[in-house]
Amino acid sequence: MKFSFKHVGTSIKGLAGNSWHITKTSFTKWWAMDPFRQSSIIAYYAIFSLPALLVIVITIAGFAFGADAVHSQVLGQVKDVMGEATADQIKVMLAKATETKTSVWATILGGITVVLGSIGVFVELQKTLNIIWEVEAAPHKGVWGFLRARVFSFGLILSIAFLLMISLVISTALAAASELLRAESSKIIALAFEVLNFIISLGVISALFALMFKFLPDAKITWRHVLPGALITGMLFTIGKTAIAFYFGKADPASGYGAAGSIVLILLWASYSSMILFLGAEFTHTYADKLTGGVKPSETGKKAAPAEQVHKTR
């Protein structure tokens, strides 16, 4: 189904009329799937995927905006949420991941390792989203099936880089305009630019969640199913990012872990982000069930047991 504003209007109307039922059902199903356990699995894979993922995203976005600018922006975001020590640790990770190899073969093998490492977390995300959507991947047809799944994950990484590039360009332009207007015009206009910057950032984050909800599960999910859930997930993520940054700053949960403190913060952040993602996916699934009676498996998937039944058997 192609995207259209008519579908957006239908989605909003359907969401408004059933909001309480959808929200209650989503939370109940999310809690039943044991989100703490699932998010811990994703956090584990995220630790190993993070350096490679950041290298690829920064490299691709850097072609348009400059690698140094993207690098600084990413580290700045990490610093705002997890503190300067964690940002420094990730800076070291990036330096190690981009070290010049001693030979051509070492460079090639290093590049393959970076690509494979970056997609690991998305493969695990796909498995969890499949559980939420009550589907599972059909048996792969040899090497081609394996590669196809990995190509989709890598395509999502490229989409992240593209969204980051757009966000950096727009945010930089709006921030510069805001500073100029603050000096030469009223503070209200400057504040309006800052609000606009926030809205655009929320839009970029929501677009990322929409891509995950649309393309990662092995299910035929339409845009009218995805858009409301992605927007709500983006709002929860944006609000939660501020809350968890406050928690990290006040409670300092990594203080008792010494040199491993930065790793602990990254694990906590990845776990939190995953739980928000799973809640948004449950909301999207419940909304799709209410709106159209459910979705069918895609060409690459097949029907599976309900999520609650899957976790009761574990």
Side-chain angles (χ1 to χ4, degrees):
M1 178 182 293
K2 295 182 179 180
F3 172 84
S4 72
F5 288 104
K6 181 180 179 180
H7 294 148
V8 176
T10 303
S11 299
I12 294 174
K13 185 183 295 185
L15 178 61
N18 303 280
S19 57
W20 170 244
H21 171 76
I22 294 173
T23 302
K24 181 181 178 181
T25 304
S26 301
F27 186 83
T28 301
K29 293 174 69 176
W30 173 77
W31 187 259
M33 71 169 287
D34 193 2
F36 298 97
R37 178 181 182 277
Q38 292 298 121
S39 64
S40 297
I41 295 171
I42 300 299
Y44 172 82
Y45 279 93
I47 282 291
F48 295 101
S49 299
L50 183 62
L53 177 61
L54 287 178
V55 166
I56 293 174
V57 169
I58 290 173
T59 300
I60 295 172
F63 283 128
F65 204 66
D68 290 340
V70 178
H71 188 273
S72 298
Q73 181 71 15
V74 169
L75 292 180
Q77 292 289 332
V78 174
K79 181 180 177 180
D80 290 343
V81 176
M82 290 180 274
E84 187 171 356
T86 305
D88 290 340
Q89 189 66 42
I90 290 180
K91 185 177 180 180
V92 173
M93 289 183 185
L94 288 172
K96 291 291 184 181
T98 55
E99 281 183 348
T100 303
K101 308 302 180 183
T102 56
S103 68
V104 174
W105 281 110
T107 302
I108 293 174
L109 291 174
I112 294 174
T113 302
V114 165
V115 172
L116 293 178
S118 67
I119 66 178
V121 68
F122 290 101
V123 172
E124 291 305 312
L125 275 174
Q126 184 181 39
K127 292 178 181 178
T128 304
L129 291 176
N130 276 347
I131 293 174
I132 292 172
W133 283 93
E134 298 172 9
V135 298
E136 61 185 23
H140 293 309
K141 296 181 179 180
V143 177
W144 169 243
F146 175 84
L147 292 176
R148 187 177 185 276
R150 269 59 185 174
V151 167
F152 270 114
S153 296
F154 189 66
L156 188 58
I157 295 172
L158 299 182
S159 300
I160 293 173
F162 178 72
L163 289 172
L164 176 62
M165 181 184 68
I166 294 175
S167 177
L168 285 172
V169 172
I170 296 177
S171 295
T172 301
L174 289 175
S178 177
E179 289 297 323
L180 180 63
L181 290 171
R182 191 183 298 276
E184 301 183 4
S185 185
S186 67
K187 293 184 178 180
I188 296 178
I189 297 177
L191 179 61
F193 271 84
E194 292 180 3
V195 171
L196 181 60
N197 192 8
F198 170 81
I199 293 173
I200 291 173
S201 297
L202 173 61
V204 170
I205 292 172
S206 300
L208 174 58
F209 286 127
L211 289 171
M212 290 184 181
F213 294 162
K214 179 73 169 69
F215 295 111
L216 277 182
D218 291 295
K220 294 180 179 179
I221 308 170
T222 65
W223 286 113
R224 65 172 176 162
H225 296 150
V226 164
L227 293 176
L231 180 59
I232 289 174
T233 308
M235 293 172 64
L236 290 173
F237 182 84
T238 302
I239 295 170
K241 184 174 70 172
T242 303
I244 200 168
F246 178 81
Y247 168 70
F248 284 167
K250 296 296 182 180
D252 194 14
S255 59
Y257 294 90
S262 296
I263 301 298
V264 170
L265 289 182
I266 295 173
L267 286 169
L268 287 173
W269 170 250
S271 179
Y272 151 77
S273 301
S274 299
M275 285 193 284
I276 294 295
L277 173 67
F278 298 152
L279 180 58
E282 287 285 9
F283 184 94
T284 305
H285 181 210
T286 304
Y287 172 70
D289 284 346
K290 188 69 177 178
L291 185 68
T292 61
V295 299
K296 297 179 179 179
S298 66
E299 293 77 6
T300 60
K302 62 180 182 178
K303 195 67 178 174
E308 299 93 333
Q309 183 176 336
V310 171
H311 289 284
K312 283 180 181 179
T313 59
R314 291 188 174 183

